[in-house]
Amino acid sequence: MEERDPHREWPSSVAVIGAGTMGLGVAECFAAAGIRVLLTDATPELTREAKQQLARRARGHAEAGLLSQEVVGRAEAVETADNVPGAVEDADLVFEAVPEDIELKEEILGSCSEVAPEDAVIVSNTSSLPIKDLAEFVERPSRFCGMHWFNPPEWTPGVEVIPAAATSPEVVGRLVEFLRSIGKRPAVVGDGPGFVANRLQNALFLEAVRCVEEGLASPQEVDEVVRSCFGFRLPFFGPFQISDMAGLDVYENVLDVLKEGLGERFTAPESLRKLVEEGRTGTKSGAGFLEYTNEERERLLLERDRRYAALGELLEDLPPVDVGKDTS
Ligand SMILES: NC(=O)c1ccc[n+]([C@@H]2O[C@H](COP(=O)([O-])OP(=O)(O)OC[C@H]3O[C@@H](n4cnc5c(N)ncnc54)[C@H](O)[C@@H]3O)[C@@H](O)[C@H]2O)c1
């Protein structure tokens, strides 16, 4: 987790509403970065328990060598409030992480926006509720935005930042800059169903379940294929750089076979067909979804190999955690 950045000017105080799986991890992250954190949950009792759990987790992370004692001290210094108004009254940033229930979000976001300072930014960690719907619960919605973290939030770098139509671009820029300053890797994405990450993750999940249902492989075998074949690339590259390096003509051919066997959902997209028609078949032709000079292409391929070799070594020290019995 990122240590204190003396140049960070905003936010100086964050309210975390909902101290469950996500709220606690995000609170630990903010505290580790040297930001004042006020935590609240559904009742004062639950809030007190959550604060104890936060301190226990940070100590556990330190015992495992993952955090310094200084950061443990910061996690132990997280403050609590007995209710939402008490947590947000002085906050620069309000992070809402209550359960995925639109009526509850309406109640919480409404009271946050009533009590928090007028210029406080309010974000929701919703995984799936449309940000435009949540924005309606907030007074002055130009300061409201989606901020979707991933579990475990302390260690997962990516955060989706999802503006609603009403969100001020200045607020989006400030959130992105802030997330970068605490070591996260934000991506600004549109307010479509599942945003980007859950849409992609669930497309993979559905096909994985179908492979098992069709008897092609056991859950363990599917997991092995994912993590050791194409998943091995994913810490470094996304689907566009990967397909550019493989060859878009190859992808088109494979998709045609998949469509024949598995149906319309594998139809090659028009944008892919057009690139292949134009001869933009990826790094080998100098352009695919992205464009590469000769020098960039050489660097990309060399850096790819360097990273894969390093990851191979890391996996020898930290192999996949092979636990769990196949019950299918
Ligand atoms: N769990 C995940 O992997 C994950 C990942 C990304 C986003 N999210 C989203 O984050 C949000 C929180 O999810 P979670 O997994 O942390 O849920 P959770 O159930 O672990 O935690 C929610 C917390 O909110 C508290 N709460 C309930 N009512 C409250 C109220 N009135 N005031 C204050 N606190 C209240 C609960 O007591 C609980 O501690 C959801 O919107 C979820 O979709 C979850």
Side-chain angles (χ1 to χ4, degrees):
M1 265 177 280
E2 202 75 0
E3 302 271 322
R4 177 184 228 114
D5 172 1
H7 304 297
R8 184 185 316 104
E9 287 176 2
W10 184 92
S12 56
S13 173
V14 181
V16 173
I17 317 298
T21 306
M22 297 305 290
L24 270 192
V26 173
E28 187 178 337
C29 247
F30 290 155
I35 300 164
R36 179 183 181 218
V37 178
L38 272 107
L39 194 63
T40 194
D41 203 86
T43 64
E45 173 81 332
L46 284 172
T47 304
R48 266 193 299 281
E49 281 170 20
K51 151 101 203 209
Q52 285 165 6
Q53 200 191 335
L54 175 63
R56 261 198 315 276
R57 263 164 56 147
R59 286 195 291 270
H61 284 145
E63 274 160 29
L66 303 175
L67 281 188
S68 67
Q69 280 307 324
E70 190 185 357
V71 171
V72 174
R74 288 184 197 157
E76 287 171 341
V78 163
E79 298 166 48
T80 57
D82 281 349
N83 48 36
V84 171
V88 304
E89 63 190 353
D90 292 323
D92 298 325
L93 174 65
V94 177
F95 180 82
E96 173 274 301
V98 298
E100 194 81 332
D101 167 338
I102 187 109
E103 282 165 17
L104 179 60
K105 302 258 188 209
E106 176 172 13
E107 178 199 323
I108 298 293
L109 291 172
S111 64
C112 287
S113 71
E114 241 169 63
V115 180
E118 285 206 355
D119 57 356
V121 171
I122 301 175
V123 298
S124 173
N125 191 47
T126 182
S127 318
S128 60
L129 297 170
I131 303 301
K132 69 173 171 29
D133 294 353
L134 299 184
E136 288 175 15
F137 307 146
V138 177
E139 284 172 32
R140 294 178 300 284
S142 60
R143 53 148 164 191
F144 176 71
C145 195
M147 187 192 267
H148 182 211
W149 292 55
F150 292 80
N151 194 28
E154 307 93 299
W155 312 112
T156 313
V159 180
E160 289 181 311
V161 173
I162 314 122
T167 311
S168 139
E170 186 277 325
V171 164
V172 176
R174 199 151 25 119
L175 290 172
V176 165
E177 199 179 315
F178 161 55
L179 287 167
R180 288 202 180 118
S181 80
I182 61 169
K184 294 295 172 188
R185 299 183 67 90
V188 179
V189 304
D191 188 15
F195 316 129
V196 170
N198 271 332
R199 179 167 166 181
L200 295 180
Q201 181 169 260
N202 282 290
L204 170 64
F205 176 65
L206 285 181
E207 289 302 329
V209 174
R210 286 180 185 131
C211 287
V212 172
E213 285 178 355
E214 290 170 22
L216 291 174
S218 67
Q220 284 103 327
E221 284 160 356
V222 171
D223 278 357
E224 184 70 309
V225 167
V226 171
R227 70 191 175 211
S228 306
C229 300
F230 64 89
F232 181 80
R233 304 165 175 149
L234 297 181
F236 308 109
F237 302 107
F240 294 102
Q241 277 186 319
I242 289 174
S243 58
D244 273 358
M245 285 189 275
L248 299 186
D249 48 338
V250 179
Y251 265 62
E252 188 185 34
N253 291 337
V254 171
L255 281 170
D256 287 344
V257 174
L258 289 177
K259 182 186 172 189
E260 213 176 301
L262 296 169
E264 294 296 314
R265 69 182 188 277
F266 283 98
T267 304
E270 272 316 301
S271 57
L272 175 70
R273 291 217 189 276
K274 188 162 177 285
L275 287 171
V276 175
E277 250 172 55
E278 291 168 355
R280 292 172 56 114
T281 51
T283 49
K284 61 188 170 190
S285 71
F289 283 104
L290 305 166
E291 281 184 352
Y292 313 84
T293 61
N294 282 346
E295 200 179 284
E296 283 172 337
R297 180 182 57 196
E298 293 313 310
R299 192 161 72 83
L300 175 66
L301 299 181
L302 177 65
E303 291 300 334
R304 173 195 68 185
D305 294 349
R306 212 195 290 283
R307 279 159 180 72
Y308 289 175
L311 181 57
E313 277 176 29
L314 176 68
L315 286 173
E316 278 183 23
D317 287 345
L318 285 176
V321 189
D322 267 322
V323 297
K325 272 202 203 81
D326 185 359
T327 55
S328 57

